[in-house]
């Protein structure tokens, strides 16, 4: 049927009178009157009847089939005010029905004459103000008539006539307002009946007609249309449009931020349809709308900025413009910003709904990216980012669920590659590609990556993350675009501003597991330099705590979610995230208290959460009499239901998978973290006992003693956590709370008899009690939580032992070797957890025991080692049945590898009741018919070696036979002659039987000395063994006179000889330690020290790692600290850097204790360098040796201790060499060299060095007094350094420190100064990675001299004739390393220096810091030469034992106070005994001080 258009309507209203009558067509039959005279109205009922009759007839009539002139009379009566303004709704409704039918029948012409045009306003006034608004009430009696009017206006398009009415804007505005109010529900009737979809459809059609046909729209109408898109914004009120220019821009209500709609509102859909139906016209209107908003705000900003600049000096204004400040120029007012934010939220939603209407707005928005004001640029950046991502006003979708404790874990197959959300409003949606539609704006957005404002860069990288996760709103990204954005994300993870780094980390955290692997991991995994995941791992060492926390948490969460795929062996996932635990645990070496606490949180909240496995399958509920259920925990309660799933096995499998993928360094850190539990639990036990004595402040007995003892324990605990004063205050408040239930819960956490469920529930209950305790400070839980993680049995728990043992048997998931390793560590650290399962371990050994025809499994040796550790500590708990002991005997005869026999001997000698009988029997079996190469001879050798240590009395009768086997049959014979093709080094597993036999023979001889022989004969017994070891070191592992030992044997023999020297000098638990140390003369010590410069890297690392282990345990004397400083030219960068880190930790600890151990070692180092085989006095050689001094200064020197070091260097020049006076001149050269370098070091660092006021006594065995004052004066006045060396030293020092500063800029933890508790007293940050050199270069290594130690009188001559090789910076081969093999055999004798005994007794084993010692010891390689290796007495054990003892008296306390009276006095005391060896692991208090508790 014909419909109206705007042109037709215009033509119609211009008609004045018809010129001729219509053809003979049937006309309107209705002939009743509808008008009345004033005062004589027609009754309502009658009028309704007439109108209904007319409406019925009109509806049945079709267009073009009736005489239009017949409608004239009726039309005139219908537009009368009596009907249009009638008070009855029915009259008005039926009148409207008749009018729309007449308009339909007359279309496209109008039934009115020119004189009747004034009636149009009244007609549409009825429609707009009365009939159409009534549609809001579907329950109305006349709703059918209202719908008929609506439908007719839409279908016939009669509504277009409204646009030609003069001043029709109010009617149009009212119509738009009514329709949107109806659909929004604000005009809904009280019945709440829904508006029909047909009503919504016709309303939309009417609005589209008006927008399309109207020559212009009132601004208020545009406001109303645009405002509908804010209905998806939870921050805006949902009450429809309001009056005013900013119609519909309702104020933000924060309380509605979570009220998200589940579908698009009808008003939103209608506005969307209007925009999409008329994109060109709406584009003009929307552009004008945003132009007004944006330009108003921008103009306001410009005016404010101009006014501000008018008051500034021109130079200051220029400086302000060039500033990088985030504040930027003076911006728009707060009201303008509010309007701008609303407008930009509208832009987001308009892009989702109708991107075509923004074709003119996007260019305006891109201009904002270049605005001077930061707020404008920020809004534009965020808005464009959301538009590209398809994110609307409702905000981004919720991040994917990344639950570390979920079980079963997520897999790539079950993880969706799209963002799943049930809310259509937050589902990212972009109707078209923004990059293709607006390339200029997209490139402008990308340019914000380098914005000078960190706020902009933060917002930008957040948007980049959203673009990647949403795939540009579902449109998809090209491979090049995606790779570019991923590269930008990686770059921003290393941004200079912490806010940008945090934003980048959070962006990565919003990636789901699938997207992380397939998008972020596509450019490289965590080990690929420069990749997103690699840079994310670098944030774990960030200098800002907030960045570290965010980075480590994200990394831990990502690994935990992906552990399911790692367990399944997915190589893609392993390459992407497999190394995350190693990266996290590497932070342990930073030695920063904040990082250590953070690592505890990540380990037990992300990697292995306490609640893991969290599954829909739950364990069985506790029995009704379960003490835990009644708030009383009992030991051993809470076994998991076997009918559901084995939670303990699932948990320990994750632990084993974590350990399996750790690198060696991270694995040491992991075991060190677990090893703290035993020592810290002893401290906590003592603390709880003192809290009970304190009794909440109501003390019975000596109040001063109780408070003092409690205070010292609190101080110790406070030093293990950051912000010690706050921690101390919290622990005092915990003591004052005096909650005995809390004490018991802590004891449950520490008790080895507690199963995992008991520990977990105890932690949860204690946490709740602390939070709910009246008067509990807000930070107390933050203090207690890391302590809980450290002292609780969460990994080494008795519940895990059966699962570990089972996995070690079956090799399920290739975890057998890891399970054995964890069993070994568990038995070493906390063997008490084995008590409940030791019988199972023993049965396992019985089943795997070898026989003459059956060999044991290779992994059994680890089980034996675990059982041996347990047997040494709890011998009475080991089964004594004959079958088990016979199985152990079989291991001593047939066990493989030979170490299995060693551990079996340990168990027998520790636990067997008739150990003497077993020992004699094993000796006889081992030596009977012994022949090389026959009858498990290696196993028998290992048995003899361990029996020599554990049962010396039983072996004594057969000593001659044993020594004959070890020396004559094994060591002095060469059965495999050397070949030219022999490899220089083979691993221990690849070493042939002859080489292995010689190693066991050496251990046998050394074990004889370690077995505490008779003091009267110890020197006689020791000399030949020590001479043998010295010969091996000097001759590079060669014992044969024919020099035909295979090349693969010699480095192993030389390394073992050096390690046995260390072990003998560090032997504890007997009276021979000092004897062997004394027998090692200075000349022999020097040759031993030069083993750290052996040609084989395995020898160097094996020797130095063993050295660091014993030094960390406090078992070696002070002089051994000189050896690590010989690694200045170590070509293995990682090993050198690791040693530097270890030195720094020692320096930091001794600084805490105010013991100048490392400073006084400098004199010993100069003596060692004076006897170095490569020393000469030529300028180039001296320049090389300057690097040794710098290698010492960098980790040790601070502004505070530099005067003491300088003083030590001066004192060396006031003595002569006590080892060999001919080397005295070497000392003087080195003294002058050291003084010169120290002065330059001071200048470059900008320090002010003062004169050291104290005294220093040098070791008498190394330095002797000068013969006369005249000689001393001559030496003091002579300058030994050549003039041409001065410029070289300047360059060397500056280059070295410049290199260090570069490293510091790369690694935030780099520093050159000494730290305390991981922090510098004058600088913030940590010191762990000062040594990092990203250039992968090492120091130049000179070719070693083949001559013996040079003497001063020959040095110049030798230097003049020697060809200098390897002086360049290139790293030569291993043959060019400095080596110590040229030395002669040591002179065996008494090594005694000034006052050896006094201070040794007082301080030798006193001060052992539990935290530092334990950490350091476990960071070092735990190479187990025998289960007899004595663990150092950690301070945790001492405090636990001594704090509950009686007070010893004031005299000893005063003595201890004097010992700690100050640094000057400490120097004098430390050097009073020049061989006094400070304890590397010194504790906050010595034994005598602990007695005062």
């Amino acid at each position: 049927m014909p419909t109206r258009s705007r042109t037709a309507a215009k033509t119609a209203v211009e008609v004045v009178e018809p010129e001729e009558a219509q053809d003979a067509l049937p006309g309107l039959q209705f002939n009743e009157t509808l008008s009345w005279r004033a005062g004589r109205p027609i009754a309502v009922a009658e009028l309704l009847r007439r109108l209904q009759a007319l409406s019925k007839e009109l509806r049945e009539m079709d267009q073009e089939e009736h005489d239009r002139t017949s409608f004239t009379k009726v039309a005139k009566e219908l537009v009368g005010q009596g009907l249009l303004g009638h008070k009855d709704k029915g009259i008005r409704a039926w009148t409207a029905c008749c009018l729309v039918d007449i308009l339909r029948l007359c279309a496209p012409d109008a039934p009115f004459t020119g004189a009747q045009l004034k009636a149009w306003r009244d007609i549409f006034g009825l429609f707009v103000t009365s009939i159409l608004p009534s549609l809001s009430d579907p329950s109305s009696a006349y709703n059918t008539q209202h719908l008929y009017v609506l439908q007719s206006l839409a279908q016939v398009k009669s509504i277009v006539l409204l646009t030609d009415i003069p001043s029709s804007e109010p009617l149009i505005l009212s119509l738009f307002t009514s329709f949107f109010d109806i659909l929004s529900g604000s005009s809904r009737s009280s019945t709440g009946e829904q508006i029909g979809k047909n009503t919504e459809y016709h309303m939309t059609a009417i609005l589209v007609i008006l927008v399309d046909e109207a020559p212009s729209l009132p601004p208020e109408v545009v406001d109303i249309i645009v405002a509908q898109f804010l209905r998806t914004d939870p921050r805006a009120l949902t009450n429809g449009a309001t009056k005013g220019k900013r119609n519909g821009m309702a104020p933000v209500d924060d309380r509605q931020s979570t009220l998200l709609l589940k579908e698009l509102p009808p008003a939103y859909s209608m506005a969307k349809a209007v925009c999409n139906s008329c994109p060109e016209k709406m584009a003009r209107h929307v552009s004008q709308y945003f132009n007004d908003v944006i330009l108003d705000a921008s103009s306001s900003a410009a005016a404010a900025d101009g006014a501000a600049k008018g008051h500034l000096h021109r130079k200051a204004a220029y400086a302000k413009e060039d500033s990088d400040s985030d504040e930027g120029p003076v911006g728009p007012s707060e009201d303008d910003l509010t309007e701008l934010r609303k407008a930009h939220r509208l832009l987001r939603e308009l892009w989702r709904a109708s991107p075509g209407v923004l074709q003119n707005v996007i260019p305006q928005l891109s201009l904002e990216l270049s605005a001077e004001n930061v707020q404008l640029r920020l809004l534009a950046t965020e808005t464009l980012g959301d538009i590209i991502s398809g994110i609307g006003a409702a905000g981004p979708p919720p991040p994917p669920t990344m639950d570390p404790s979920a079980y079963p874990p997520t897999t790539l197959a079950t993880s969706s590659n799209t963002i799943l959300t049930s809310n259509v409003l937050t589902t990212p949606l972009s109707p078209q590609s923004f990059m293709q539609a607006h390339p200029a704006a997209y490139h402008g957005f990308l340019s914000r990556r380098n914005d000078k404002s960190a706020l902009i860069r933060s917002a930008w990288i957040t948007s980049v993350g959203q673009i990647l996760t949403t795939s540009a709103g579902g449109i998809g990204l090209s491979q090049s675009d995606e790779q570019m954005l991923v590269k930008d994300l990686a770059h921003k993870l290393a941004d200079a501003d912490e806010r940008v780094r945090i934003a980048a980390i959070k962006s990565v955290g919003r990636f789901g597991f699938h997207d992380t692997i397939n998008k972020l991991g596509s450019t490289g995994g965590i080990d690929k330099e420069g990749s997103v995941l690699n840079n994310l791992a670098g944030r774990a060492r960030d200098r800002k705590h907030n960045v570290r926390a965010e980075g480590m948490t994200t990394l831990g969460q990502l690994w935990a979610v992906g552990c399911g795929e790692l367990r399944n062996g997915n190589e893609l996932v392993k390459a992407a995230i497999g190394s995350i635990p190693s990266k996290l645990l590497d932070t342990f070496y930073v030695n920063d208290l904040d990082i250590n606490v953070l690592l505890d949180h990540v380990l037990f909240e992300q990697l292995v959460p306490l609640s893991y496995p969290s599954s829909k399958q739950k364990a069985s509920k506790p029995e009704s009499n379960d003490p835990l259920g009644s708030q009383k925990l009992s030991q051993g309660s809470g076994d998991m239901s076997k009918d559901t799933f084995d939670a303990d096995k699932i948990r320990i499998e994750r632990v084993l998978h974590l350990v399996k993928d750790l690198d060696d360094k991270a694995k040491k850190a992991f075991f060190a973290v677990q090893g703290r539990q035993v020592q810290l639990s002893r401290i906590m036990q003592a603390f709880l006992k003192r809290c009970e004595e304190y009794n909440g402040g109501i003390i019975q007995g000596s109040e001063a003693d109780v408070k003092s003892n409690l205070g010292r324990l609190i101080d110790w605990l406070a030093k293990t956590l950051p912000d010690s004063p706050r921690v101390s205050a919290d622990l005092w408040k915990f003591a004052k709370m005096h909650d005995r239930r809390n004490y018991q819960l802590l004891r449950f956490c520490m008790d080895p008899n507690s199963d995992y469920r008991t520990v977990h529930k105890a932690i949860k209950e204690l946490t709740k009690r602390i939070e709910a305790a009246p008067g509990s400070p807000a930070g107390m839980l933050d203090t207690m939580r890391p302590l809980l993680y450290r002292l609780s049995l969460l990994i080494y728990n008795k519940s895990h032992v059966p699962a570990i043992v089972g996995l070690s048997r079956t090799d399920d998931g290739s975890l057998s070797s890891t399970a054995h390793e964890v069993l070994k560590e568990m038995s070493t650290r906390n063997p008490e957890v084995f008590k409940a399962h030791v019988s199972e371990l023993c049965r396992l050994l019985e089943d795997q025991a070898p026989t003459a025809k059956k060999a044991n499994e290779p992994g059994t040796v680890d089980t034996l080692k675990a059982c041996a550790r347990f047997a040494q500590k709890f011998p009475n708990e080991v089964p004594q049945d004959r079958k088990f002991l016979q199985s152990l005997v079989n291991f001593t005869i047939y066990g493989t590898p030979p170490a299995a026999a060693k551990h079996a001997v340990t168990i027998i000698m520790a636990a067997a009741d008739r150990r003497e009988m077993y020992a004699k029997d094993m000796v006889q079996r081992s030596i009977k018919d012994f022949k090389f190469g026959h009858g498990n001879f290696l196993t028998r050798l290992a048995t003899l070696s361990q029996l020599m240590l554990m049962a010396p009395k039983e072996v004594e009768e057969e000593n001659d036979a044993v020594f004959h086997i070890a020396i004559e049959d094994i060591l002095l014979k060469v059965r495999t002659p050397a070949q030219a093709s022999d490899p220089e080094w083979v691993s221990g597993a690849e070493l042939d039987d002859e080489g292995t036999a010689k190693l066991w023979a050496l251990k046998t001889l050394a074990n004889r000395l370690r077995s505490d022989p008779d003091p009267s004969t110890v020197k006689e017994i020791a000399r030949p063994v020590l001479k043998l070891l010295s010969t091996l070191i000097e001759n590079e592992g060669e014992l044969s006179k024919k020099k035909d030992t295979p090349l693969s044997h010699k480095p192993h023999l030389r390394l073992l000889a050096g390690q046995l020297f260390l072990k003998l000098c560090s032997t504890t638990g007997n009276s021979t330690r000092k004897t062997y140390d004394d027998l090692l003369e200075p000349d022999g010590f020097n040759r031993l020290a030069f083993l750290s410069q052996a040609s084989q890297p395995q020898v160097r690392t094996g020797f130095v790692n063993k050295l660091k282990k014993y030094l960390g345990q406090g078992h070696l004397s002070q002089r051994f600290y000189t050896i690590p400083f010989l690694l200045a030219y170590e070509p293995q960068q990682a090993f050198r850097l690791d040693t530097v880190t270890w030195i720094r930790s020692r320096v930091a600890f001794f600084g805490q204790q105010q013991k100048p151990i490392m400073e006084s070692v400098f004199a010993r180092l100069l003596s060692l360098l004076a006897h170095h085989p490569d020393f000469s006095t030529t300028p180039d050689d001296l320049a090389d040796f300057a690097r040794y001094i710098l290698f010492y200064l960098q980790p040790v020197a601070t502004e505070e201790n530099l005067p003491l070091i300088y003083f030590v260097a001066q004192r060396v020049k006031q003595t002569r060499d006590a080892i060999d006076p001919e080397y005295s001149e070497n000392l003087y050269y080195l003294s002058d060299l050291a003084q010169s370098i120290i002065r330059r070091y001071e200048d470059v660092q900008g320090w002010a060095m003062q004169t050291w006021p104290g005294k220093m006594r040098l070791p008498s065995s190394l330095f002797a007094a000068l013969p006369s004052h005249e000689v001393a004066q001559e030496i003091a006045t002579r300058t030994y350094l050549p003039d041409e060396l001065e410029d070289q030293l300047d360059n060397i020092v500056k280059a070295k420190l410049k290199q260090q500063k570069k490293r510091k800029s790369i690694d935030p933890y780099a520093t050159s100064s000494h730290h305390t508790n991981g922090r510098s007293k004058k600088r913030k940050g940590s010191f762990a990675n000062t040594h990092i050199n990203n250039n992968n270069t090492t120091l130049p290594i000179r070719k070693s001299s083949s001559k013996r130690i040079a003497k001063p009188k020959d040095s110049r001559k030798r230097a003049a004739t020697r060809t200098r090789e390897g002086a360049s910076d290139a790293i030569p081969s291993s043959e060019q390393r400095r080596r110590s093999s040229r030395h002669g055999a040591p002179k065996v004798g008494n090594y005694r220096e000034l006052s050896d005994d006094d201070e040794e007794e007082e301080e030798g084993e006193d001060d052992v810091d539990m935290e530092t010692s334990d950490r350091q010891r476990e960071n070092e390689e735990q190479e187990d030469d025998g289960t007899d290796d004595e663990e150092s007495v950690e301070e945790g054990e001492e405090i636990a034992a001594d704090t509950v003892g009686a007070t010893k008296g004031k005299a000893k306390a005063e003595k201890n106070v004097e010992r700690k009276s100050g640094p000057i006095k400490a120097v004098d005391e430390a050097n009073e005994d020049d061989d006094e060896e400070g304890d590397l692991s010194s504790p906050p208090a010595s034994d005598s001080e602990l007695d005062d508790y």
Side-chain angles (χ1 to χ4, degrees), residues 237-272:
L237 295 178
T238 58
N239 59 343
T242 57
K243 296 181 180 180
K245 180 177 180 181
R246 303 290 174 242
N247 208 356
M249 303 294 284
V252 174
D253 184 355
D254 292 335
R255 293 172 298 178
Q256 295 181 345
S257 60
T258 58
L259 301 179
L260 294 178
L261 302 173
K262 301 304 180 184
E263 60 182 12
L264 293 175
Y268 177 98
S269 300
M270 185 163 65
K272 175 181 177 180

Side-chain angles (χ1 to χ4, degrees), residues 711-782:
R712 295 174 71 181
L713 283 166
I714 288 176
D715 290 343
W716 191 95
L717 290 170
K719 289 179 181 178
T720 65
L721 298 175
D723 195 1
S724 296
R726 178 187 62 82
V727 173
S728 179
D730 289 341
L731 292 176
W732 274 110
K733 290 176 182 177
F734 179 83
K736 291 177 181 178
M737 289 167 58
H738 196 51
D739 189 328
R740 294 185 180 276
R741 177 61 177 171
N742 289 348
Y743 300 162
Q744 187 58 42
L745 291 171
L746 282 170
R747 290 188 171 102
F748 284 140
C749 293
M750 299 181 289
D751 193 339
N753 293 319
S754 296
D755 62 10
Y756 183 85
R757 189 182 181 200
T758 300
V759 174
H760 184 203
K761 299 190 79 172
I763 292 175
K764 291 197 296 184
E765 182 183 344
L766 181 60
T767 300
K768 292 179 181 179
R769 291 180 67 86
I770 292 176
E771 287 178 334
S776 175
M780 181 179 290
L781 188 57
D782 294 335

Side-chain angles (χ1 to χ4, degrees), residues 680-977:
L680 187 58
S681 64
R682 292 193 177 102
I683 294 293
M684 185 56 67
Q685 291 284 8
F687 171 71
L688 295 179
K689 185 172 183 63
R690 290 304 181 190
C691 286
E692 291 171 341
E693 294 175 358
Y694 184 67
N695 196 26
I698 305 174
I699 303 172
Q700 297 178 357
S702 176
E703 181 175 351
D705 290 344
V706 172
K707 288 184 175 180
S708 174
N709 293 332
L710 179 59
R712 295 174 71 181
L713 283 166
I714 288 176
D715 290 343
W716 191 95
L717 290 170
K719 289 179 181 178
T720 65
L721 298 175
D723 195 1
S724 296
R726 178 187 62 82
V727 173
S728 179
D730 289 341
L731 292 176
W732 274 110
K733 290 176 182 177
F734 179 83
K736 291 177 181 178
M737 289 167 58
H738 196 51
D739 189 328
R740 294 185 180 276
R741 177 61 177 171
N742 289 348
Y743 300 162
Q744 187 58 42
L745 291 171
L746 282 170
R747 290 188 171 102
F748 284 140
C749 293
M750 299 181 289
D751 193 339
N753 293 319
S754 296
D755 62 10
Y756 183 85
R757 189 182 181 200
T758 300
V759 174
H760 184 203
K761 299 190 79 172
I763 292 175
K764 291 197 296 184
E765 182 183 344
L766 181 60
T767 300
K768 292 179 181 179
R769 291 180 67 86
I770 292 176
E771 287 178 334
S776 175
M780 181 179 290
L781 188 57
D782 294 335
T783 297
M784 295 301 297
R785 195 183 298 276
L787 291 177
L788 280 172
Y789 288 156
R790 294 178 185 183
L791 60 84
S792 300
L793 288 162
L794 298 173
I795 302 295
Y796 294 167
N797 189 278
K798 76 169 191 176
S799 299
H800 298 154
V801 173
I804 299 175
V805 173
L807 290 169
S808 68
R809 289 179 176 179
T810 62
D811 198 25
D812 185 15
S814 302
L815 296 176
S816 177
S817 61
T818 307
H820 281 296
E821 187 175 10
V822 172
L823 277 176
K824 179 186 69 175
E825 290 293 332
M826 192 180 295
S827 66
T828 302
R829 310 295 181 190
N830 198 346
E832 293 185 38
V833 299
F834 284 97
K835 281 186 177 180
H837 306 284
V838 66
S839 298
E840 186 174 355
L841 278 178
C842 295
R843 286 195 299 271
L844 176 62
L845 293 176
E846 290 179 12
D847 297 339
Q848 297 180 348
T851 63
K853 297 181 179 180
K854 183 190 76 171
N856 59 279
E857 297 178 5
T860 308
V861 67
D862 291 321
T863 306
L864 278 166
K865 187 169 186 178
C867 193
R869 291 289 189 184
F870 180 84
Q872 285 184 303
K873 191 164 186 179
F874 306 103
N876 296 330
E877 302 289 337
V878 178
Q880 300 291 325
D881 58 282
R882 181 181 179 83
K883 182 180 179 182
F884 171 64
L885 294 175
Q886 185 57 46
S887 299
L888 295 177
V889 171
N890 285 353
F891 276 107
T892 67
I893 302 173
Y894 308 110
T896 55
K902 165 187 166 182
H903 300 311
V905 170
T906 301
I907 300 173
I908 293 173
M909 299 310 299
D913 290 336
R914 304 174 66 184
R915 58 180 64 89
E916 294 83 2
M917 179 195 73
Y918 282 105
K920 291 181 180 180
D921 180 62
M922 288 185 288
V923 170
Q924 293 299 326
R925 286 172 178 265
S926 298
I927 64 176
K928 182 179 180 181
D929 299 328
F930 182 91
K931 187 176 181 180
F932 182 90
H934 294 79
N936 298 309
F937 74 103
L938 288 178
T939 302
R940 296 161 72 180
L941 264 179
T943 300
L944 289 174
S945 173
Q946 194 68 1
L947 285 171
M948 189 67 76
L949 176 68
M950 309 269 319
K953 294 182 179 179
E954 286 71 19
V955 183
E956 189 172 3
E957 296 179 0
E958 304 293 342
N959 273 348
D960 292 341
V962 173
F963 289 153
H964 183 273
I965 291 173
I967 299 174
E968 301 297 333
D969 291 349
I970 305 296
L971 288 174
L972 297 182
K973 288 185 178 180
V974 177
R975 293 175 172 83
T976 307

Side-chain angles (χ1 to χ4, degrees), residues 30-50:
F30 181 80
N31 58 2
E32 296 183 77
T33 182
L34 296 175
S35 60
W36 60 89
R37 291 194 298 272
R40 301 185 64 181
I42 302 174
V44 172
E46 177 62 21
L47 187 56
L48 280 174
R49 184 193 64 78
R50 294 178 186 179

Side-chain angles (χ1 to χ4, degrees), residues 591-593 1144-1145 1147-1153 1313-1321 1323 1325 1327:
N591 201 23
D592 181 86
L593 297 180
R1144 292 184 188 281
S1145 67
V1147 171
F1149 172 73
F1150 287 131
Q1152 289 179 352
Q1153 304 305 312
S1313 61
H1314 162 91
H1315 286 70
T1316 301
N1317 277 341
R1319 301 167 183 249
S1320 173
K1321 295 180 179 179
R1323 302 170 181 81
F1327 53 78

